[in-house]
Amino acid sequence: MRQFKDMHIIGIDHGYGNLKTVSGIFSASVLPFDQEPIHAQDLLVYGGKYYVIGSGHREFTPDKVSNSDHYILTLAGIGQELWAHRMTNTRVYIAAGLPLTWVESQRERFRAYLLQNGHVDFTWRGIAYHVEIVGASVYAQGFSAIVPMLRQFKGVNMLCDIGNGTMNIMTIQDRRAVMDQCFTEKYGTYQCMLRAREALTQRFGRTVPDAVIDEVLRNGDADIGRDYVDTIREAAAGYAADIMRKLREHEYDPQTMRLWIVGGGGCLLRHFGTYDRDRVNFIDNIHANAEGYELLAERRLKREGAAG
């Protein structure tokens, strides 16, 4: 969270698997209840309803304004940042993002969605908050994550942001994005999860909880039978190979460009992929997009203030 004059800029990375702010991360799922559920830790109370955040998996949708989920998650993200800074009442400027090729067509609708209420009262994790939403900006996922290090992008580079729902690919030449070489594919890490589930079912006639599969995908191992681990690893290796194939389809050439991997899917390539380790850089900071959104929004507000 960054302070600018009398407002606070809060960056929120609305991923399909996880919602990330600069100081927090939680599963991007929303379960509504009319009455307060028992033993709910991440509970948001808003508009007379109770929302359990982070329980279950949210279905992929081609836009982020088709239901109220992302708005509820936005409030949870704001609550997370205010909680981290011990604040309960402030003016907030939201800095958010969309997949690379969706920004131009969906930016204004998503911005209006985020600004649907000027004043919001809600409770997050048992603490009441009153927030005035004073503005919002929407930026490109992936590219925002590398803004603080853009000076390193000399020559020709390819950026690949692998999230849960989408994979964003961008060519960057001499620190500038090549706009006709930006792509968004529905090939996030959830596709690998589905592949691993199917492989387990075919081989053993059963699967294991998603949390166990996720542990293997993130760490390369888990406390389950070796045959199960090996099956998940084989599925992950196939997914990683497909990622590299898709990059080559978009003109990735390891001999002439550097590859930069950002997003939660980076661990899959690191553990299971085949690549030139001298030509591939991993940005491990899971909060990088949220941090980049805040930086870009602050720069914009400063420019507008100077112009005004």
Side-chain angles (χ1 to χ4, degrees):
M1 185 167 74
R2 293 171 178 253
Q3 183 169 359
F4 179 78
K5 296 184 178 179
D6 64 342
M7 71 182 78
H8 288 89
I9 304 168
I10 296 181
I12 301 178
D13 183 4
H14 296 82
Y16 284 99
N18 294 295
L19 182 138
K20 284 86 65 180
T21 65
V22 170
S23 70
I25 176 172
F26 43 84
S27 178
S29 61
V30 178
L31 288 178
F33 294 87
D34 291 327
Q35 297 182 342
E36 183 173 0
I38 301 174
H39 305 309
Q41 179 179 358
D42 292 341
L43 182 66
L44 181 98
V45 184
Y46 169 69
K49 286 195 172 185
Y50 301 87
Y51 300 91
V52 176
I53 307 299
S55 179
H57 178 78
R58 188 162 47 82
E59 182 181 355
F60 178 89
T61 54
D63 64 61
K64 298 191 176 183
V65 301
S66 58
N67 57 47
S68 64
D69 283 5
H70 281 99
Y71 189 75
I72 298 301
L73 290 166
T74 297
L75 298 183
I78 291 172
Q80 169 64 30
E81 285 300 296
L82 296 184
W83 174 84
H85 292 82
R86 299 184 178 181
M87 303 174 63
T88 58
N89 189 334
T90 191
R91 305 175 79 232
V92 169
Y93 190 99
I94 300 172
L98 288 169
L100 287 171
T101 59
W102 298 3
V103 175
E104 184 175 352
S105 62
Q106 296 187 22
R107 174 187 277 130
E108 290 309 313
R109 283 193 300 144
F110 191 40
R111 182 173 177 275
Y113 176 87
L114 296 171
L115 295 174
Q116 60 185 272
N117 295 303
H119 294 267
V120 187
D121 293 286
F122 62 93
T123 300
W124 169 243
R125 292 176 175 168
I127 299 175
Y129 295 93
H130 174 76
V131 175
E132 180 183 358
I133 309 294
V134 297
S137 292
V138 179
Y139 301 100
Q141 291 176 7
F143 184 76
S144 298
I146 59 136
V147 166
M149 60 181 72
L150 199 54
R151 291 186 177 181
Q152 299 180 38
F153 282 67
K154 299 178 180 179
V156 183
N157 301 265
M158 178 167 280
L159 173 68
C160 181
D161 182 1
I162 309 172
N164 185 267
T166 61
M167 178 175 69
N168 294 287
I169 303 167
M170 171 183 281
T171 298
I172 301 171
Q173 186 166 350
D174 293 328
R175 299 180 289 274
R176 293 180 180 274
V178 182
M179 298 312 297
D180 62 351
Q181 295 183 34
C182 297
F183 311 92
T184 296
E185 297 217 17
K186 184 187 172 184
Y187 203 70
T189 58
Y190 190 59
Q191 299 297 316
C192 185
M193 177 72 72
L194 294 176
R195 180 180 290 195
R197 276 192 212 158
E198 178 63 21
L200 289 170
T201 301
Q202 289 187 4
R203 185 170 181 182
F204 304 107
R206 57 168 298 178
T207 184
V208 298
D210 285 356
V212 176
I213 297 175
D214 187 63
E215 185 177 354
V216 177
L217 299 182
R218 291 185 180 278
N219 303 315
D221 204 351
D223 187 18
I224 56 176
R226 181 50 47 187
D227 288 345
Y228 281 76
V229 171
D230 290 344
T231 300
I232 296 170
R233 289 178 60 91
E234 289 169 9
Y239 171 83
D242 283 349
I243 290 290
M244 298 306 295
R245 177 180 57 77
K246 287 180 178 291
L247 293 179
R248 290 191 295 272
E249 289 174 356
H250 293 299
E251 301 184 10
Y252 169 58
D253 179 1
Q255 298 299 317
T256 60
M257 60 179 65
R258 286 193 171 274
L259 177 63
W260 299 75
I261 305 294
V262 65
C267 61
L268 288 172
L269 283 186
R270 187 192 297 275
H271 289 311
F272 308 109
T274 300
Y275 54 88
D276 184 346
R277 298 181 183 275
D278 293 329
R279 304 286 293 169
V280 178
N281 301 81
F282 290 90
I283 301 172
D284 295 321
N285 180 8
I286 198 67
H287 308 278
N289 271 310
E291 292 174 2
Y293 299 154
E294 288 189 1
L295 176 60
L296 290 169
E298 182 182 50
R299 288 178 180 176
R300 175 179 180 174
L301 290 169
K302 286 181 177 179
R303 287 196 306 269
E304 292 176 350

